[in-house]
Amino acid sequence: CYLYSHADPRTMAAKEDLYSKILPRRLRQSRLGSAKSGSNLDVLLNMGFPRPRALKALVSTGGRSVQAACDWLFSHVDDPFLDDPLPREFVLYLRPSGPLQNQLSHFWQQSRVTCGKNKAHNIFPHITLCQFFMCADHKVEALCEALQATVQQWRGRFPSPLPLELYISSNFIGLFVGDQVADVLKQFASDFANEAARKAEVHVEPHKKQLHVTLAYNFPMDHLPSLEKLAKGIEVKLGCDWLAVLFSRDIRFANHETLRVMYPYMPQNDDELELVPGDFIFMSTVDQSSTSEGWVYGTSLTTGLSGLLPENYVSLADESDTWVFHGFLKLNTSKTLWMFDGLLDSRRSDNTSAGDTTTLSLICHPVQVLRISGSHSRQPKRTLFVCRHGERMDVVFGKQWLSLCSDSKGRYIRSNLNMPTSLPLWGKQRDYDMDTPITVFGSIQARLVGEALLESNTVIDFVYCSPSLRCVQTAQNILKGLQQDGKLKVRVEPGLFEWTKWVSGNSLPAWIPPTDLAAAHFSVDTTYRPLIPVSKLTVSESYENYMSRSYQVTKDILSDCKNTGNNVLIVAHASSLEACTRQLQGRSPQSAKDFVQIVRKVPYLGFCSCEEQGDTGVWQLVDPPILPLTHGPNHTFDWRETLLQE
């Protein structure tokens, strides 16, 4: 491993195959070695890594596992600062869990949707116990022990509940801790500082200002009424278990902007940086003076490499997105429940058994894309993608398009290159008048989206679609672009059909059953049982019923897929992008009039992404992993009428 980490980049690809064959066996041995040696550090040392690199890898990944540390080392093989002995910056926060945390997460999401991002959104809800302080990699183990010792000393003394009082000014909103209790918390922080100095020789400065949870600050004045209303909706007396949580960040990028990579980019010149969606870029505003317009200079979190990158391929992220979580201790409990960096994975409180995790509130690790050439990590967050179908035949060729495709014997014959060469089950009294297929361009549009998802390394675990033929065809072509056609089955869900008020006539379309679709070589799941069967759909339903139906079926889909896959793709209608995501974010439905205006703006293959925010049950719209697809209509070209005119 040591030799591999020093390898010339030109030989990396050849050694990847060898690494993939050797590492699984070594990791199996490492589990046995860990039981004997007591730490992931010992395992890495036994694998041949130098101690400084092994320590840096463990600290940089929060000590999650030997595998995570190895991935970090291999992805940073060309990092010029790999052997730099710079310490990391650490901070100790109190984080809420339980009902109060859910309320705060809801406020975070709602305030961001309603008023946009303000400075408070850069970091999760917390109470600051100390200022950022430096700690060398080899002292992190002792630092964790100092926090554990402090919490042990405070067992049963931690005040519960914490009294919080809402404070609102023209540019700041927060929940302040009562003075007497705040003094107690400051004493806890002071005791931790003393332990950190004694055990790790680390200087920690306890927070001396008023202790509080910041809700919003540095926002425009016209946002104050909305933020105030949301803040007053927080029930501060709800139950809460407070956790002492230790985070760290790379000291080199403390004053940099944090950017999230949205689209892949392969360098065209030596001074450019490769971009992988999901990675983070650190950008210093000072270093941008000499860059060309539309380009910025930054450093990759995943590789440690720096270079120029196109500005429109990244978006602003939260500062804490790149922080490393090292562990937490639960304070207001008779037991000292704790989870720490893997450096301490063999040590445990006498009062906590190895399997006692029932009351542990898991704090998710930050999103970090650890990359080895040729392989890509899976997105850790659950994501819902909603996509509109492709271009419709009846919109392009008019309501009488069927007559243009039929010969005298009723056989299908296309009369335009944008008409498909064949249609499934033509001649078997198919109700194509109410269940129109997509055009050839519609199929191309869908494949382009699938190819873009493939290029962005987006993994789709489940595909659901409306029973409309245009949606089934679109889903099939997206899977072709993803190279998953035949491997991933589409689940046809009638509950995803559009607002039935828009259906002409007094009956719903006679959709092709999944068994017939499968017989016509569509990759559909014939064993799937719909959440809302066709019999439950009614013609001319109310707007409220449609929004309720869409919300319910989306929630049920996400519930059914939980723990079996991260990413769900819904292929349905223009209205679905709004109907399937709005209430999922905790937002109330628009008026029917406003809803129609939104739907009119969704083009063919309009695409949106909605991410789950941790385990809170709160979802939020985010930038999709693919570029938008712009296209426009054109009239039929008749060369006789155009070119033979006198």
Side-chain angles (χ1 to χ4, degrees):
C1 288
Y2 177 74
L3 292 175
Y4 181 90
S5 65
H6 284 76
D8 189 312
R10 291 171 295 182
T11 66
M12 293 283 286
K15 296 185 179 180
E16 285 287 344
D17 183 57
L18 178 62
Y19 166 68
S20 64
K21 294 176 181 177
I22 294 176
L23 188 57
R25 175 174 59 83
R26 285 201 164 185
L27 284 181
R28 287 195 296 272
Q29 294 173 345
S30 75
R31 293 190 180 97
L32 297 175
S34 181
K36 296 177 181 179
S37 64
S39 76
N40 290 338
L41 175 60
D42 293 325
V43 177
L44 291 173
L45 295 178
N46 290 335
M47 292 172 68
F49 288 106
R51 177 177 287 270
R53 287 193 176 189
L55 280 168
K56 177 169 284 193
L58 285 170
V59 173
S60 298
T61 58
R64 296 197 301 273
S65 65
V66 173
Q67 179 69 66
C70 286
D71 287 348
W72 188 93
L73 284 165
F74 292 133
S75 65
H76 283 260
V77 66
D78 295 320
D79 184 350
F81 293 96
L82 179 60
D83 296 313
D84 196 308
L86 277 176
R88 290 182 68 86
E89 280 193 322
F90 285 75
V91 70
L92 181 64
Y93 286 156
L94 282 187
R95 286 201 65 177
S97 64
L100 180 59
Q101 165 63 15
N102 292 338
Q103 291 257 331
L104 292 174
S105 295
H106 180 71
F107 173 86
W108 240 246
Q109 186 265 338
Q110 287 294 312
S111 62
R112 199 162 190 164
V113 169
T114 305
C115 302
K117 183 176 179 180
N118 63 67
K119 287 289 186 179
H121 287 121
N122 275 326
I123 306 175
F124 41 78
H126 68 279
I127 296 175
T128 302
L129 291 182
C130 66
Q131 306 300 319
F132 273 95
F133 60 91
M134 292 184 290
C135 181
D137 294 340
H138 68 279
K139 295 182 178 180
V140 172
E141 179 177 10
L143 180 67
C144 293
E145 290 176 338
L147 180 56
Q148 185 199 3
T150 306
V151 173
Q152 288 276 21
Q153 296 167 13
W154 275 75
R155 183 187 302 173
R157 296 166 53 196
F158 192 83
S160 179
L162 291 184
L164 298 173
E165 183 177 347
L166 180 64
Y167 172 82
I168 299 174
S169 70
S170 60
N171 63 357
F172 178 89
I173 301 176
L175 299 173
F176 279 78
V177 181
D179 290 341
Q180 290 185 343
V181 173
D183 289 340
V184 176
L185 297 184
K186 289 178 180 179
Q187 184 58 53
F188 170 81
S190 179
D191 289 352
F192 166 67
N194 293 333
E195 283 291 330
R198 187 172 66 85
K199 290 181 177 292
E201 298 179 338
V202 170
H203 176 69
V204 178
E205 186 69 30
H207 192 67
K208 295 179 180 179
K209 297 181 180 180
Q210 288 181 291
L211 301 186
H212 62 276
V213 178
T214 301
L215 298 179
Y217 77 99
N218 199 15
F219 49 82
M221 274 293 295
D222 57 342
H223 291 172
L224 180 59
S226 297
L227 292 171
E228 181 176 357
K229 182 179 179 181
L230 288 170
K232 288 181 177 178
I234 299 174
E235 299 180 43
V236 295
K237 294 183 180 180
L238 286 175
C240 179
D241 288 326
W242 290 90
L243 311 173
V245 189
L246 199 60
F247 283 91
S248 74
R249 66 184 183 186
D250 192 319
I251 192 174
R252 294 174 296 158
F253 308 116
N255 297 314
H256 288 50
E257 280 194 343
T258 305
L259 307 173
R260 186 192 303 270
V261 177
M262 304 308 301
Y263 310 112
Y265 178 77
M266 290 301 296
Q268 307 298 312
N269 299 290
D270 292 340
D271 60 351
E272 295 174 4
L273 186 65
E274 181 181 356
L275 300 181
V276 175
D279 191 9
F280 290 92
I281 303 296
F282 298 111
M283 185 188 76
S284 170
T285 55
V286 178
D287 296 335
Q288 307 310 314
S289 57
S290 61
T291 57
S292 303
E293 185 176 355
W295 290 77
V296 296
Y297 188 85
T299 302
S300 164
L301 169 69
T302 299
T303 64
L305 300 179
S306 301
L308 293 169
L309 57 132
E311 189 174 12
N312 59 344
Y313 278 50
V314 295
S315 64
L316 195 62
D318 296 340
E319 178 187 343
S320 60
D321 285 345
T322 59
W323 291 2
V324 174
F325 165 67
H326 292 272
F328 70 85
L329 283 154
K330 193 171 181 179
L331 296 172
N332 46 348
T333 178
S334 59
K335 276 187 176 182
T336 305
L337 300 176
W338 64 292
M339 181 177 73
F340 269 129
D341 190 302
L343 293 169
L344 293 172
D345 59 0
S346 69
R347 301 167 176 82
R348 191 176 302 272
S349 167
D350 294 338
N351 297 311
T352 308
S353 67
D356 188 1
T357 59
T358 55
T359 55
L360 288 180
S361 300
L362 179 63
I363 299 177
C364 296
H365 293 283
V367 179
Q368 295 187 31
V369 178
L370 298 174
R371 176 182 53 178
I372 299 175
S373 177
S375 66
H376 302 277
S377 64
R378 190 181 180 88
Q379 296 182 12
K381 286 188 177 181
R382 295 183 70 207
T383 307
L384 170 68
F385 302 113
V386 187
C387 182
R388 187 191 178 189
H389 58 74
E391 183 181 77
R392 299 170 54 145
M393 286 277 282
D394 57 348
V395 171
V396 176
F397 298 106
K399 295 295 183 182
Q400 306 304 316
W401 69 272
L402 282 168
S403 63
L404 302 175
C405 301
S406 301
D407 64 7
S408 58
K409 296 182 180 180
R411 293 173 297 188
Y412 175 82
I413 297 178
R414 70 173 181 173
S415 57
N416 188 284
L417 287 177
N418 198 22
M419 293 179 176
T421 55
S422 63
L423 288 176
L425 306 179
W426 177 272
K428 294 187 179 181
Q429 298 181 342
R430 285 294 314 124
D431 187 11
Y432 282 115
D433 188 42
M434 294 183 66
D435 190 21
T436 182
I438 59 176
T439 63
V440 172
F441 283 168
S443 298
I444 293 172
Q445 292 166 342
R447 283 199 295 274
L448 281 173
V449 168
E451 290 168 359
L453 289 170
L454 180 65
E455 291 172 1
S456 69
N457 308 310
T458 301
V459 177
I460 301 296
D461 300 295
F462 298 96
V463 180
Y464 289 78
C465 79
S466 160
S468 296
L469 178 60
R470 57 188 180 275
C471 298
V472 178
Q473 290 177 309
T474 301
Q476 177 95 349
N477 280 283
I478 290 176
L479 289 178
K480 287 181 180 178
L482 267 169
Q483 299 181 9
Q484 293 295 311
D485 185 26
K487 302 175 184 177
L488 196 58
K489 299 290 185 180
V490 177
R491 296 176 174 180
V492 179
E493 175 52 60
L496 293 172
F497 184 59
E498 65 185 347
W499 189 5
T500 61
K501 179 183 177 180
W502 291 333
V503 175
S504 59
N506 298 318
S507 62
L508 296 172
W511 296 302
I512 303 176
T515 51
D516 291 346
L517 288 170
H521 307 294
F522 284 92
S523 182
V524 297
D525 185 353
T526 57
T527 66
Y528 175 69
R529 295 295 175 262
L531 298 166
I532 300 179
V534 175
S535 60
K536 296 293 184 181
L537 299 180
T538 58
V539 180
S540 299
E541 67 184 331
S542 67
Y543 169 65
E544 291 74 17
N545 187 75
Y546 168 63
M547 294 298 289
S548 176
R549 164 167 64 87
S550 299
Y551 177 42
Q552 186 60 51
V553 75
T554 303
K555 285 199 305 179
D556 290 344
I557 286 172
L558 293 172
S559 177
D560 288 350
C561 297
K562 191 171 185 179
N563 301 323
T564 55
N566 283 338
N567 297 339
V568 176
L569 170 64
I570 288 177
V571 181
H573 307 270
S575 58
S576 304
L577 276 72
E578 170 78 359
C580 292
T581 64
R582 186 173 184 86
Q583 290 166 274
L584 196 64
Q585 302 171 73
R587 303 165 67 192
S588 300
Q590 301 261 43
S591 67
K593 181 179 179 181
D594 291 337
F595 171 74
V596 171
Q597 294 304 315
I598 292 174
V599 172
R600 287 176 176 172
K601 298 177 183 177
V602 179
Y604 293 125
L605 271 301
F607 194 96
C608 71
S609 301
C610 202
E611 274 188 0
E612 186 178 27
Q613 305 301 297
D615 293 328
T616 63
V618 177
W619 293 71
Q620 181 177 332
L621 283 174
V622 297
D623 288 327
I626 62 175
L627 294 169
L629 175 64
T630 303
H631 45 85
N634 65 292
H635 299 290
T636 300
F637 175 66
D638 189 323
W639 62 274
R640 291 184 179 85
E641 292 183 4
T642 304
L643 303 180
L644 294 182
Q645 287 184 351
E646 295 295 337

